[in-house]
Amino acid sequence: MDLLVRDGAAGDQAANLALEEALARAGPRAPVLRIWQNASCMVIGRAQRPAREVNLAACTASGVPVLRRASGGGTVYQDLGNLNVSMAVPGRAPGLAAEVAALVAAVIAGLGLAPSAGERGVFVGPAKVSGLASQLTRVGSLAHATLLVTTSATRVGAFLTPAPAEHHPADSRRSPVASLRDLGCDLGVAAARGAVLAEAARMYGPPRRRAPSAAERRWQRRLLAERYRMDSWHLTGRTEEAQWTTRPVLTCTG
């Protein structure tokens, strides 16, 4: 397995999301793991409506951007107290999200907690600690998970709307959330990253460290130009995008 390094700045959230999608669209030759962070932002799923998910007034007042990713799944809050754990593999791999969930669950179990992993994420008791989403393209698959390390549940809730009275299929399925710190783990983000790396090495062997490839950077630039730098994409999910992005792509929710 490759480990992606020197892969971007936390403060350019759109570029980070573009690189995620680029990992799958570039057609990875081998599985690649990326452990990364975004500065404060709300990230909604591919088909979601911002106003149904996000307290837009609170986000504006706090300078928290609302961004859209290309995978399915529900809305997540990201900041520097949260880790993102992503894996891309060659071809179509519908079971990849379960594999990433197993990796995250093993990390949490190693901290002395009792996690349960399912299609919606990783839970400790009723609280969600990690959310999941995935995207399948013709040449590569992507699955990613959040891992709340030090970010408090109160901080997450401050930027969410109450659950709408009438549920739509694309709406997030709301669950109480908790960080590892909320659950009593005195663990910083750097230590959590080390725990993810150690578990990945145990499961897959020592990773080969590399920077993003030329093909991945080309796809990242293209996706930024045609999607992630466009307000219309984040607001509505629609852009004046090239034909390649309008072809059917399967997304899986978690």
Side-chain angles (χ1 to χ4, degrees):
M1 172 175 283
D2 293 344
L3 173 66
L4 212 64
V5 297
R6 301 193 300 279
D7 58 348
D12 195 341
Q13 299 98 321
N16 278 321
L17 294 177
L19 182 57
E20 286 257 275
E21 186 174 352
L23 296 180
R25 291 204 176 272
R29 296 183 179 181
V32 56
L33 177 68
R34 183 185 181 210
I35 307 170
W36 57 283
Q37 291 179 278
N38 258 343
S40 297
C41 61
M42 298 297 295
V43 183
I44 65 175
R46 172 66 180 87
Q48 292 190 308
R49 300 180 186 178
R52 295 182 65 84
E53 300 288 330
V54 177
N55 184 331
L56 297 172
C59 288
T60 298
S62 297
V64 174
V66 179
L67 307 174
R68 185 183 302 273
R69 62 180 185 268
S71 63
T75 297
V76 294
Y77 173 74
Q78 297 182 354
D79 68 7
L80 297 182
N82 172 88
L83 279 181
N84 296 297
V85 181
S86 308
M87 192 181 299
V89 299
R92 297 175 67 85
L96 187 59
E99 194 170 331
V100 173
L103 169 62
V104 173
V107 171
I108 294 171
L111 299 173
L113 300 173
S116 59
E119 65 175 9
R120 293 178 55 209
V122 182
F123 291 75
V124 175
K128 181 184 282 190
V129 183
S130 172
L132 293 169
S134 62
Q135 179 185 11
L136 308 183
T137 77
R138 292 175 178 80
V139 295
S141 300
L142 170 73
H144 42 198
T146 58
L147 178 58
L148 289 171
V149 182
T150 63
T151 302
S152 70
T154 301
R155 176 72 175 172
V156 176
F159 300 108
L160 293 171
T161 62
E166 181 182 352
H167 183 79
H168 289 182
D171 289 346
S172 295
R173 289 178 282 180
R174 307 297 178 101
S175 301
V177 301
S179 68
L180 296 176
R181 179 166 291 176
D182 290 334
L183 294 169
C185 292
D186 186 16
L187 187 77
V189 173
R193 177 185 174 88
V196 174
L197 280 172
E199 186 59 35
R202 188 191 68 78
M203 294 175 68
Y204 302 103
R208 300 174 295 272
R209 298 170 67 89
R210 70 166 176 85
S213 69
E216 289 161 351
R217 287 301 193 195
R218 284 195 298 271
W219 268 105
Q220 182 190 33
R221 290 192 294 270
R222 181 174 182 177
L223 288 162
L224 280 169
E226 298 179 356
R227 183 177 284 177
Y228 292 98
R229 296 289 192 216
M230 299 182 70
D231 289 342
S232 60
W233 162 253
H234 299 296
L235 291 172
T236 68
R238 295 185 295 272
T239 67
E240 298 297 326
E241 54 194 51
Q243 181 62 34
W244 66 269
T245 57
T246 64
R247 297 172 183 169
V249 174
L250 176 65
T251 60
C252 306
T253 64

